[in-house]
Amino acid sequence: LRPDSSARQATLRFCSAMAARFVGCVLGSMAVGAAGFSPFMKEIPNGRSVIRNSESWYGVGHYYAMGSGPLNPFGNEFKTAGYKWTPELCAADSDGDGQSNGLELGDPECQWSPGDVPSRSSDISHPGFADSTTSATTSAEPVTDTSTTTSEPTTVTTSADPTTATTTMTTAAES
């Protein structure tokens, strides 16, 4: 049996419509996958600038660079924090590499808020992988001030933890 011309045309129209829907679904799901984490990138400092092993890492909270799959340690802590950059999340060391999340993401003082410019935008590392660290340092490192009236240098150390905010000053004679 051979279908008549109108039935054949209707079948072709139906198949064409289904193929277009299928392609639309595939392309749409790819766009959702690529943009699904995009709002989160704005919730952490330098969210679009994270590098691991010389690769841009857009899915900062995931084990995969493009943001799919299971969450890495930073992603789990970010989720626990309600997907917000909090002082606790900033001060935490999610990946156990000895560097706070804030230091790795350019907010060592934990003062960044969405929409702000981070205090550092270079040498950004990944807070979810211990093999990714920054060579940047915090401002809590000792600074020698020789502008005092004594000839002995003075060391000033300021805590990077905003909850303690302490300053210690010693002179060479006190050391």
Side-chain angles (χ1 to χ4, degrees):
L1 296 175
R2 188 172 179 146
D4 65 21
S5 177
S6 62
R8 192 171 355 152
Q9 288 177 348
T11 302
L12 286 173
R13 280 194 305 272
F14 174 78
C15 290
S16 294
M18 293 307 289
R21 286 183 183 163
F22 174 75
V23 170
C25 286
V26 169
L27 293 176
S29 67
M30 289 171 54
V32 167
F37 53 83
S38 183
F40 297 138
M41 293 167 65
K42 297 175 186 175
E43 295 297 326
I44 60 172
N46 292 303
R48 296 184 185 274
S49 304
V50 176
I51 303 291
R52 178 178 181 235
N53 297 330
S54 302
E55 179 181 0
S56 293
W57 208 276
Y58 300 111
V60 179
H62 295 269
Y63 279 105
Y64 303 108
M66 292 310 294
S68 62
L71 299 176
N72 61 40
F74 175 77
N76 284 321
E77 289 190 13
F78 184 58
K79 181 179 179 181
T80 299
Y83 302 104
K84 300 289 180 199
W85 186 247
T86 64
E88 296 80 16
L89 179 62
C90 177
D93 178 13
S94 297
D95 55 14
D97 62 4
Q99 297 184 332
S100 73
N101 297 330
L103 177 63
E104 292 198 71
L105 291 173
D107 183 27
E109 303 297 325
C110 298
Q111 296 178 354
W112 181 86
S113 294
D116 290 351
V117 175
S119 63
R120 188 183 82 250
S121 59
S122 61
D123 197 14
I124 304 303
S125 59
H126 199 303
F129 293 93
D131 66 356
S132 176
T133 57
T134 180
S135 61
T137 58
T138 67
S139 64
E141 293 189 7
V143 176
T144 301
D145 178 6
T146 57
S147 65
T148 62
T149 55
T150 67
S151 60
E152 299 171 356
T154 302
T155 303
V156 179
T157 306
T158 305
S159 171
D161 183 355
T163 59
T164 59
T166 59
T167 300
T168 307
M169 294 182 71
T170 58
T171 63
E174 296 173 322
S175 300

